Amino acid sequence: MRIPPSRRRTLRGGTAAMAAAALVALGAAPALADEPEPDLGVGTIAPVKGVQAGSGFSTPLTFLNKGAEEVPVSYVTYAVSPGLKAEETYKNCVYYTVPSYDEMPDTHVAACEIDQPLKPDVLYRTEKPLSLKALDSALNDDLRVTIGVVAPDPDAGDSGSTEPVPGTGDPLTLVEERPATDADRENHPESAASTEVTAANTADFGLTGAELKGEAGDQVTASVEFANKGPARVQGKSGQSVTHVDIRIPKGTSVVKAHGYCDAVTETHYRCGTSQSWVDVDGGESYPLVLRIDKAVGRTTGEVSFSGEERPFDRNAANDTAQIVIDTGKGSDTSGSSGSAGGTGDPSPTAGPGSTGSTGTTGTTGGSADTGGSTTGGAADPQTAGSGNLAATGSDSTVPLAGMAAAAVAAGAGIVWAVRRRSVARAH
């Protein structure tokens, strides 16, 4: 599933708040042509690797005033993903959480007032390295640090942030390191810097199939479940499904309606993505597929498996596959139009193999969607479909006219859903 423009990942937390407040301040202030703008930079932050889940760690931070004038007061903000938190709090900082929004997970933010002048062309560092903790759910997390001259506003943009709580420890202070060199200026290019924090942890992705009964001509719903059994939360690449699930339907059946996060690779093979680019502990997805029993062939089985993304954190392969089993009894083909293995002809006229628009609850937490709307395209190679954006797969190029109409209706419903979801998020 490609992410529509209305669901693009939005920069949130302290950085977004700082940017919004800065725009308001600039709009209200009179233009001073001769007054230079502050030019502050954050030093490149080295990646943190192999931290033990449940333990603390620290990272040094440096800052540089690249402007020509002294900056009397500045604001340092650091934000971490859900697997991390501040281990030590500083009394000149306030701490709050920005909840999940669109494709952005929860963010824990610390906004700190640095009430000391920053001289031009002098390198500064934190008096002590920044103290953080990797939670039991840590795995692949991130840290983002910004510096500016406008106080961040936790309520900017109606983000629904938690109430800011002042820190209690010693203040976060900066100390002069040395006069800046050309290398220092290159190492502090922007007012924000990010780094990855990886923990030595595991997560168990598991699949559950379904076992059903029916006769030729019946429609049955097979719900495939994907779950993250932890202990780690898994954050994937921004804007992409955290994993993909391949579903091959049982012999003698055809798909009447697929879940919104599933697209057809062939008439008998569907690939399903995730609603977000992360999956929390005990989170996941449910993929209900409505199948029509076209031909009674006794006990018939379809295979379910993971595909695409590597999962080095998952050391339990026992639950990486599952089955859809349907006991169809014994009888004859009542449709004469099975598009699956064991029959030939067109699929059920109620929907094409790439039709979407079904709804289904997801198992994700932290703001993941409860309904899905997908897009379908031309025929796709099973080896390449589903390799990019959230739940992105291909669809069969022989979709009948009725299936195309169903897909159009589903696309319209997806637009309404996306607008409604954004409206609800802003209302909260």
Side-chain angles (χ1 to χ4, degrees):
M1 258 173 242
R2 292 154 290 280
I3 308 175
S6 62
R7 295 178 61 200
R8 295 288 184 189
R9 181 177 293 272
T10 306
L11 184 62
R12 303 296 307 279
T15 307
M18 185 180 299
L23 289 174
V24 172
L26 289 173
L32 299 176
D34 296 331
E35 183 176 343
E37 293 183 8
D39 186 6
L40 303 178
V42 180
T44 302
I45 308 171
V48 180
K49 299 180 179 180
V51 61
Q52 294 297 315
S55 65
F57 66 97
S58 60
T59 182
L61 300 176
T62 60
F63 304 91
L64 180 60
N65 176 7
K66 298 180 289 183
E69 301 293 332
E70 183 177 275
V71 174
V73 178
S74 58
Y75 297 88
V76 171
T77 300
Y78 59 96
V80 294
S81 53
L84 308 176
K85 75 170 187 177
E87 184 175 43
E88 177 183 355
T89 64
Y90 308 101
K91 66 181 181 182
N92 59 332
C93 305
V94 293
Y95 298 82
Y96 56 93
T97 298
V98 179
S100 173
Y101 183 84
D102 282 352
E103 279 66 56
M104 185 74 177
D106 294 351
T107 306
H108 304 308
V109 181
C112 310
E113 181 178 358
I114 309 299
D115 191 11
Q116 64 183 89
L118 299 184
K119 300 175 184 178
D121 241 14
V122 172
L123 182 67
Y124 288 84
R125 61 171 172 82
T126 51
E127 185 174 14
K128 297 179 181 179
L130 188 66
S131 179
L132 300 170
K133 182 176 182 179
L135 303 179
D136 291 341
S137 60
L139 180 64
N140 39 11
D141 288 276
D142 56 76
L143 162 68
R144 182 176 178 83
V145 179
T146 64
I147 187 169
V149 294
V150 177
D153 179 8
D155 296 323
D158 296 326
S159 62
S161 302
T162 60
E163 189 70 22
V165 177
T168 57
D170 294 334
L172 179 67
T173 57
L174 306 182
V175 295
E176 293 187 22
E177 182 78 359
R178 63 174 183 271
T181 64
D182 289 341
D184 292 329
R185 296 183 190 93
E186 292 179 1
N187 193 44
H188 295 71
E190 305 292 341
S191 60
S194 300
T195 194
E196 296 179 347
V197 179
T198 55
N201 206 353
T202 62
D204 182 14
F205 281 12
L207 293 171
T208 304
E211 187 159 350
L212 307 163
K213 290 184 178 182
E215 299 178 353
D218 289 349
Q219 291 185 7
V220 294
T221 300
S223 288
V224 172
E225 306 290 335
F226 152 59
N228 174 21
K229 300 180 180 181
R233 166 191 176 275
V234 179
Q235 174 76 52
K237 294 181 179 179
S238 175
Q240 295 186 11
S241 291
V242 69
T243 192
H244 286 90
V245 176
D246 279 1
I247 302 175
R248 289 171 171 82
I249 66 172
K251 177 181 177 181
T253 69
S254 56
V255 176
V256 175
K257 182 182 291 185
H259 186 266
Y261 298 141
C262 302
D263 288 325
V265 179
T266 69
E267 289 182 345
T268 62
H269 176 190
Y270 277 70
R271 182 162 293 161
C272 306
T274 58
S275 56
Q276 303 288 8
S277 60
W278 72 89
V279 58
D280 293 320
V281 179
D282 296 326
E285 304 285 355
S286 177
Y287 306 114
L289 275 73
V290 180
L291 304 177
R292 186 179 191 275
I293 301 174
D294 297 317
K295 185 177 182 179
V297 293
R299 187 176 175 86
T300 179
T301 302
E303 300 298 325
V304 182
S305 60
F306 288 114
S307 68
E309 300 73 16
E310 294 183 357
R311 304 187 314 282
F313 51 81
D314 188 350
R315 300 175 184 175
N316 179 22
N319 57 2
D320 287 354
T321 59
Q323 291 184 329
I324 299 173
V325 180
I326 303 178
D327 186 351
T328 66
K330 294 183 178 179
S332 59
D333 184 353
T334 62
S335 69
S337 60
S338 173
S340 64
T344 59
D346 294 330
S348 170
T350 57
S355 65
T356 60
S358 63
T359 61
T361 59
T362 67
T364 54
T365 59
S368 59
D370 288 329
T371 59
S374 71
T375 58
T376 57
D381 188 325
Q383 300 300 320
T384 59
S387 60
N389 293 335
L390 296 190
T393 64
S395 65
D396 197 296
S397 63
T398 59
V399 178
L401 184 59
M404 295 174 64
V409 172
I415 294 172
V416 173
W417 166 80
V419 174
R420 179 179 179 275
R421 184 165 181 250
R422 180 173 291 277
S423 300
V424 171
R426 289 179 176 173
H428 288 82

